Amino acid sequence: MKKQSRRKFIASAVALTAGVAVSANSFTTMETKDKKQLAHHVFFWLKNPGSTEDLKKLLDGLRSLEKIESIRALHIGVPAKTEVRPVIDASYSASELMLFDDLDGQLIYQEHPIHKKFVADCSHLWEKVLVYDAMDV
Amino acid sequence: MKKQSRRKFIASAVALTAGVAVSANSFTTMETKDKKQLAHHVFFWLKNPGSTEDLKKLLDGLRSLEKIESIRALHIGVPAKTEVRPVIDASYSASELMLFDDLDGQLIYQEHPIHKKFVADCSHLWEKVLVYDAMDV
């Protein structure tokens, strides 16, 4: 290749592959946005809601769940400091929000040894747990 | 370039740019995964839970919310057919799950004309609404 052709080739290669990268990225975004998913949202009320130590144990336990491969997104949270309104329940101590591809993904999670270990290690910490499973429509 | 060098160059260019594509993708995934977000999850109980017409009106209303620009992800759902357990509340009619970047994003949503129109148009349909706002930790 002559110097000029080589430059042209590099430019084409970069443009081509940049295009591939952008497409791959768009595809990922679109897939996430358009795909019907199952949201599994769990709220925990600690036996000792004032104990930062118990909260830390629970949050650490929840973080161990992220290794479960059928979980597509995981959000571990505490009540947000949004406006106070009668319709908002901010009385829980911590929450886990997971997205799964389908019912099977959620079942794999339920039966996974890491999830069972989390329940065995942490269930003594909470006095109440409340679950909402919502399927995208 | 000789034929062999050119092949080698093409191979390198492809490998290099494939690497770039993968990195860009991983970065996007990591960014989404690592960014702290606010989950706003609302559950609606219809006055007429058996009315498919009322459910459709509510779901259509919820779909109108997706135009609000501070919403980063929107999941509109109905109770999923997961296993029946005492800790699962599957009594609601429909749910909206939104992710925001922060408290400000949620406030923009609350005060947005599209949200206010949704409440004005649809609030007669539900007898109870329950909200959980969770901030990622």
Side-chain angles (χ1 to χ4, degrees):
Chain A
M1 260 188 229
K2 282 182 193 162
K3 208 167 181 181
Q4 208 182 351
S5 306
R6 197 175 147 197
R7 273 203 198 122
K8 210 169 170 184
F9 174 74
I10 293 171
S12 304
V14 167
L16 179 72
T17 45
V20 169
V22 169
S23 298
N25 208 13
S26 305
F27 177 73
T28 307
T29 310
M30 290 306 289
E31 192 183 43
T32 307
K33 194 183 164 194
D34 294 337
K35 196 169 184 180
K36 304 272 183 234
Q37 288 184 302
L38 190 161
H40 175 73
H41 212 162
V42 187
F43 298 89
F44 301 89
W45 283 261
L46 287 174
K47 279 181 191 155
N48 304 307
S51 167
T52 51
E53 195 186 338
D54 283 9
L55 179 61
K56 188 184 177 306
K57 279 183 203 165
L58 175 58
L59 294 175
D60 287 346
L62 289 171
R63 284 187 189 107
S64 74
L65 302 174
E66 74 176 358
K67 291 200 174 69
I68 300 175
E69 56 279 356
S70 67
I71 300 174
R72 295 289 168 255
L74 173 63
H75 290 265
I76 297 165
V78 296
K81 296 190 188 310
T82 45
E83 64 280 10
V84 175
R85 291 188 289 149
V87 292
I88 301 179
D89 186 347
S91 66
Y92 63 96
S93 308
S95 64
E96 62 168 62
L97 166 62
M98 295 171 176
L99 294 175
F100 296 100
D101 285 341
D102 47 31
L103 288 167
D104 284 348
Q106 199 272 151
L107 203 59
I108 288 168
Y109 159 72
Q110 288 296 339
E111 294 175 352
H112 200 287
I114 294 176
H115 179 226
K116 293 197 169 172
K117 186 178 187 311
F118 161 72
V119 174
D121 290 351
C122 293
S123 60
H124 68 283
L125 297 170
W126 63 73
E127 64 169 17
K128 182 186 160 189
V129 65
L130 186 54
V131 180
Y132 297 90
D133 286 328
M135 181 62 83
D136 285 349
V137 286
Chain B
M1 259 186 227
K2 281 180 193 165
K3 207 167 182 182
Q4 208 182 348
S5 308
R6 196 175 148 197
R7 271 202 200 124
K8 212 171 171 181
F9 174 75
I10 294 170
S12 303
V14 168
L16 179 72
T17 46
V20 169
V22 168
S23 297
N25 210 16
S26 305
F27 177 73
T28 308
T29 309
M30 289 305 288
E31 192 183 46
T32 308
K33 195 180 162 193
D34 293 340
K35 195 169 183 180
K36 304 276 183 227
Q37 288 185 300
L38 190 160
H40 175 71
H41 212 160
V42 186
F43 299 90
F44 301 89
W45 282 261
L46 287 174
K47 279 180 191 156
N48 304 307
S51 166
T52 51
E53 194 185 339
D54 283 8
L55 179 61
K56 188 184 177 305
K57 278 183 202 166
L58 176 59
L59 294 175
D60 287 346
L62 290 171
R63 283 186 190 108
S64 74
L65 302 174
E66 73 177 0
K67 290 198 175 69
I68 299 175
E69 55 280 355
S70 67
I71 300 173
R72 295 289 169 254
L74 172 63
H75 291 265
I76 296 164
V78 296
K81 297 192 187 308
T82 46
E83 64 280 11
V84 174
R85 291 187 291 149
V87 292
I88 301 179
D89 186 347
S91 66
Y92 63 96
S93 308
S95 64
E96 62 168 63
L97 166 63
M98 295 171 176
L99 294 175
F100 296 101
D101 285 341
D102 47 31
L103 288 167
D104 284 349
Q106 200 274 149
L107 203 59
I108 288 167
Y109 159 73
Q110 288 296 338
E111 294 175 353
H112 200 287
I114 294 176
H115 179 226
K116 293 195 169 175
K117 185 178 186 312
F118 160 72
V119 175
D121 290 350
C122 294
S123 61
H124 69 282
L125 297 169
W126 63 73
E127 64 170 17
K128 182 186 160 190
V129 64
L130 186 54
V131 180
Y132 296 92
D133 286 328
M135 180 62 82
D136 286 349
V137 286

